[in-house]
Amino acid sequence: MYAILENFPELRPYEGDINLRMERYKGKKAQLLQGHSSLRDFANAHAWYGFHRLEDGWAYREWAPAADQLYLTGDFNDWQWTATPMTRLDNGNWELILPGDTIHQGSRVMTIVDNGGNLSQHIPLYAKRVTQDWESQSWCCEVWDSIDPYPWTDEGFVSNEPPVIYEAHVGMSSEDYRIATYREFADNVLPHVQDGGYNTVQLMAVMEHPFYGSFGYQVSSFFAASSRQGYPDDLKYLINKAHSMGIRVLLDVVHSHAVGNTLEGINLFDGTDYQFFHHGDQGNHPAWGTKLFDYDKPEVLHFLLSNLKFWLEEYHFDGFRFDGVTSMLYHDHGLGKAFSDLSMYFTMNTDVEAVTYLQLANELCREVNPHCMTIAEDMSGMPGMCEPVEDGGIGFDFRLGMGLPDLWIKLIKEWRDEDWNLGMIWNELTSRNARTIAYAESHDQALVGDQTIMFRLAGANMYDQMNKDCHTFEIDRAMSLHKMIRLLTMAAGGNGYLTFMGNEFGHPEWIDFPRPGNGNSFHYCRRQWSLLSNPDLKYQQLNDFDHDMIHTALYYQVFHQAYPYLKKLDEGDKVIAFERGGLLFVFNFSPTRDYTDYAIPVSEGTDYYVLFTSDDGRYGGYDRIDHDPKSAFMPGMDGNFVRLHLAPRTCMVLKPQNR
């Protein structure tokens, strides 16, 4: 019996499914490792395919089993499509040796594929740099293989802290109306990340994608860092600098699907729709209009696993956030499913081939870097998602708590906050079957058609009522709930925490990428850092609260305790209190009731000290709550209690004397 069945007895009726999961994993691994000592030894496609320097010239290789002939065209042969044919090798492979300086670093080239006499143009599958001509909107591969190794200075970098993640999009990280660069992000944004206490940056939209507005989720060139934001060495500069600041860097990796484009993407590369993807309708995502990988095919696994190894070794990423895991796990992609019953995870609807791939991917990542961190974007709650592969699990370190932002949006949209059900909120925050990254909002909640939490709470009042000397009901309520929601989510909702770039200081409005529908405007595709740097605006106060919230959680090792310990939940009073990491967190969600001597049970009979409250003046509050020590030793009381002043719509964090 695998350990997952002992740790989660409720899964024992599905022992056969778990056994099948493991049999498939072991069988597929054995198939891949024929002639290889490990998955790391196997996942080297990028070391052979693509462009590679020789002592005299270059080698270019591709895998295109159904093609009748491949050619290389480019500026080196005046773009003559069939002037430079490639040589067919075994197993669907093709090779071209170009002597001397026929091509060079930066040469612009494309692959021409002949399938049954039909010629089509494609970007090479393993291209490391792909560029777009902004006038013609056409894409082209640039030959790229670094002459000298990048001068890394991060040898031995390891971060074992629970992840506090700053989710970021490099391109929209400037306030200017343009696409920002990797180096600008490194020099201008990383210091803000470090100051805020975030120990992990999660980079979106790095893998090359033809449509900027896809947020990087329709990948075309899997081995190319997006050229919109700079050169490969610029991305390495960003990661190297982050490591020097003690910040790990995760890549938002998209292996759940691929863009359907043929010139820019990998679709129809050899003339068939089944080279990388399922044949026919099975290979088309019904909601996203993208292509779906055939995870049972060894050559596809070779491509995808090598892709993970490439980003870990070539760019020194510290791990991955796997996008679209729910879509991968189920044949119906989890669309419209509530996953209310365990049987829904173990039926014919489960894509067992995708499960096997994710197990292999997690194993490979740890072989390449034992400290590699992997996070699953899975809303279904698949059992064993964050259990070790050898125990019958899928092997991720964490899953995203995707139900939490949905909860907050629903509450804000549909209910007055005085009517919020604290028991329901607590259950959503703490009912988890895996190590979870908690968050109140990510980029998903701010895309066009939606709003950030602060803008949803305050609306257009943010445009003229965010001065520090301006106090209106709407802004005071928004400020209060913004702070309370974030602290409650972070302190109770998971084993790590995430925010999207700018949301820590209440960035207004929404995100909309330049497109014809908005006149190709960058107005909503940037971060207004000037709001934060303006000493007269309340954005500073929200940022200061976030800063102290994060630093407190890390200093007192709040995430080292798996679950919070509930001490008080009173629906009538709208008060909730719990302990975690030795700290006491207290929330008064009542909009009107001011409790001057409210008793909260605590674990230790000692003095408690207020570390901070959301009502502190430096966070935009009214300084109604004093910071004097609160004694928890009360003779005659049954247990230990502290008596606190709980102002309306406020929260506070206290520590016992011995902490």
Side-chain angles (χ1 to χ4, degrees):
M1 179 183 291
Y2 290 102
I4 188 176
L5 298 171
E6 298 177 359
N7 297 334
F8 302 94
E10 65 272 19
L11 296 180
R12 289 181 183 174
Y14 307 98
E15 182 174 3
D17 297 272
I18 297 297
N19 290 338
L20 175 63
R21 171 190 294 182
M22 296 306 295
E23 289 169 8
R24 291 189 58 85
Y25 152 73
K26 292 175 182 177
K28 183 59 67 175
K29 181 179 176 181
Q31 180 186 13
L32 299 182
L33 291 190
Q34 295 180 42
H36 301 279
S37 60
S38 64
L39 287 174
R40 181 176 184 175
D41 184 42
F42 164 76
N44 280 317
H46 55 289
W48 195 78
Y49 293 111
F51 290 90
H52 298 280
R53 294 178 185 273
L54 304 175
E55 289 187 7
D56 180 30
W58 292 75
Y60 169 51
R61 304 182 186 94
E62 289 288 6
W63 174 64
D68 295 313
Q69 180 62 57
L70 261 62
Y71 305 89
L72 186 68
T73 187
D75 51 20
F76 73 96
N77 68 359
D78 295 324
W79 297 99
Q80 298 179 67
W81 276 29
T82 60
T84 311
M86 299 180 68
T87 301
R88 185 194 296 271
L89 306 178
D90 294 334
N91 302 316
N93 295 315
W94 298 82
E95 182 180 62
L96 176 65
I97 304 298
L98 294 166
D101 58 357
T102 307
I103 60 172
H104 53 81
Q105 184 91 325
S107 288
R108 296 168 64 79
V109 298
M110 295 291 285
T111 304
I112 305 300
V113 177
D114 180 350
N115 181 274
N118 296 314
L119 298 182
S120 55
Q121 187 176 198
H122 304 266
I123 285 176
L125 292 176
Y126 290 81
K128 295 179 182 176
R129 179 166 168 79
V130 179
T131 57
Q132 182 181 29
D133 181 276
W134 280 97
E135 291 187 5
S136 66
Q137 297 294 298
S138 62
W139 288 83
C140 189
C141 170
E142 289 187 11
V143 174
W144 202 267
D145 194 21
S146 297
I147 300 173
D148 299 313
Y150 184 81
W152 295 98
T153 60
D154 64 346
E155 184 177 359
F157 171 78
V158 173
S159 175
N160 290 318
E161 288 186 323
V164 182
I165 301 171
Y166 198 80
E167 184 186 47
H169 185 291
V170 169
M172 60 178 291
S173 64
S174 166
E175 187 156 358
D176 298 336
Y177 291 81
R178 60 178 175 82
I179 298 175
T181 69
Y182 299 120
R183 286 184 179 266
E184 288 173 327
F185 184 92
D187 294 339
N188 301 331
V189 181
L190 282 181
H192 171 74
V193 174
Q194 182 186 44
D195 179 70
Y198 292 88
N199 58 30
T200 306
V201 167
Q202 179 179 297
L203 293 182
M204 309 173 62
V206 169
M207 303 170 75
E208 192 60 88
H209 48 290
F211 178 46
Y212 190 46
S214 76
F215 239 121
Y217 290 131
Q218 294 191 10
V219 172
S220 52
S221 294
F222 285 76
F223 291 82
S226 180
S227 62
R228 295 181 179 94
Q229 294 142 196
Y231 286 86
D233 279 4
D234 298 331
L235 176 56
K236 294 175 183 178
Y237 171 85
L238 186 164
I239 297 171
N240 194 55
K241 184 163 187 172
H243 289 169
S244 74
M245 303 166 78
I247 299 171
R248 64 165 76 88
V249 186
L250 306 181
L251 174 66
D252 213 342
V253 70
V254 185
H255 283 181
S256 49
H257 60 135
V259 72
N261 301 28
T262 56
L263 184 148
E264 304 96 342
I266 65 175
N267 187 27
L268 301 178
F269 185 84
D270 73 347
T272 67
D273 66 348
Y274 52 82
Q275 180 183 3
F276 287 98
F277 310 116
H278 290 291
H279 177 56
D281 288 343
Q282 187 182 357
N284 299 318
H285 197 290
W288 299 343
T290 49
K291 302 298 295 182
L292 299 173
F293 287 104
D294 181 352
Y295 299 110
D296 194 47
K297 206 169 187 177
E299 295 87 353
V300 173
L301 296 179
H302 196 210
F303 180 82
L304 294 176
L305 293 174
S306 299
N307 190 233
L308 297 175
K309 181 180 177 182
F310 169 79
W311 290 108
L312 289 172
E313 292 192 337
E314 180 72 16
Y315 285 96
H316 290 203
F317 276 100
D318 302 291
F320 304 101
R321 180 263 206 185
F322 280 72
D323 171 68
V325 168
T326 303
S327 177
M328 299 171 68
L329 291 174
Y330 309 99
H331 293 300
D332 65 4
H333 312 293
L335 298 172
K337 287 291 180 64
F339 294 97
S340 56
D341 185 273
L342 281 175
S343 64
M344 301 179 74
Y345 303 108
F346 301 105
T347 66
M348 294 300 292
N349 185 40
T350 302
D351 189 335
V352 292
E353 295 165 358
V355 172
T356 299
Y357 166 65
L358 292 172
Q359 291 177 301
L360 294 168
N362 277 294
E363 182 174 355
L364 167 74
C365 287
R366 281 22 174 274
E367 286 185 8
V368 176
N369 177 1
H371 301 281
C372 180
M373 177 177 290
T374 59
I375 301 172
E377 189 208 26
D378 171 41
M379 53 74 60
S380 74
M382 166 66 81
M385 181 65 68
C386 298
E387 298 300 311
V389 173
E390 60 269 23
D391 291 347
I394 299 178
F396 285 94
D397 292 299
F398 300 92
R399 63 177 289 268
L400 290 176
M402 299 179 69
L404 301 181
D406 292 342
L407 165 72
W408 292 121
I409 289 175
K410 183 177 179 64
L411 288 172
I412 294 170
K413 287 176 64 175
E414 300 180 9
W415 299 84
R416 301 183 307 165
D417 55 286
E418 51 263 46
D419 297 328
W420 288 359
N421 185 311
L422 297 187
M424 183 266 290
I425 293 173
W426 181 256
N427 182 69
E428 186 70 36
L429 287 167
T430 59
S431 296
R432 48 185 184 267
N433 64 358
R435 292 180 295 278
T436 300
I437 302 296
Y439 60 106
E441 55 183 337
S442 68
H443 72 280
D444 283 327
Q445 284 70 49
L447 291 172
V448 64
D450 214 328
Q451 299 169 345
T452 63
I453 283 181
M454 188 61 187
F455 198 72
R456 188 179 293 281
L457 288 167
N461 299 295
M462 293 188 74
Y463 295 131
D464 57 12
Q465 296 177 20
M466 286 295 283
N467 287 333
K468 288 181 178 177
D469 59 0
C470 177
H471 288 279
T472 65
F473 170 81
E474 291 80 9
I475 291 296
D476 280 356
R477 173 180 177 273
M479 292 277 290
S480 297
L481 290 176
H482 190 272
K483 290 177 284 187
M484 296 178 73
I485 288 171
R486 302 181 98 71
L487 181 63
L488 181 56
T489 301
M490 184 209 69
N495 313 95
Y497 180 71
L498 175 146
T499 194
F500 178 69
M501 176 177 62
N503 288 351
E504 70 279 6
F505 64 84
H507 200 284
E509 300 172 331
W510 49 86
I511 300 167
D512 189 13
F513 283 78
R515 54 187 173 84
N518 62 18
N520 294 314
S521 171
F522 282 89
H523 181 78
Y524 296 108
C525 193
R526 59 198 181 100
R527 296 288 88 179
Q528 299 182 53
W529 301 107
S530 59
L531 298 175
L532 175 59
S533 61
N534 189 329
D536 298 325
L537 298 180
K538 296 185 179 188
Y539 299 98
Q540 279 192 356
Q541 296 169 334
L542 292 176
N543 189 74
D544 288 345
F545 182 84
D546 194 84
H547 172 281
D548 291 355
M549 175 183 84
I550 297 298
H551 280 272
T552 297
L554 291 176
Y555 181 81
Y556 289 97
Q557 299 184 330
V558 166
F559 298 118
H560 286 71
Q561 180 179 327
Y563 290 90
Y565 179 28
L566 183 63
K567 304 297 290 186
K568 180 85 172 183
L569 196 159
D570 192 304
E571 292 286 2
D573 293 343
K574 293 301 174 189
V575 171
I576 187 169
F578 57 90
E579 293 176 338
R580 195 174 184 194
L583 302 181
L584 175 66
F585 298 85
V586 185
F587 298 78
N588 176 16
F589 276 96
S590 172
T592 57
R593 278 173 282 184
D594 191 307
Y595 305 108
T596 57
D597 200 24
Y598 199 94
I600 301 290
V602 292
S603 296
E604 300 188 33
T606 184
D607 285 349
Y608 276 71
Y609 294 83
V610 177
L611 294 178
F612 63 92
T613 86
S614 61
D615 195 50
D616 293 347
R618 67 182 185 275
Y619 308 136
Y622 286 91
D623 282 322
R624 291 167 291 185
I625 302 173
D626 69 70
H627 285 225
D628 296 337
K630 322 293 180 185
S631 176
F633 177 70
M634 295 186 178
M637 297 288 286
D638 183 16
N640 300 312
F641 292 80
V642 290
R643 293 191 176 275
L644 304 173
H645 176 199
L646 306 182
R649 284 199 186 107
T650 61
C651 54
M652 66 173 69
V653 183
L654 303 94
K655 75 175 187 71
Q657 187 174 25
N658 61 359
R659 287 287 288 164

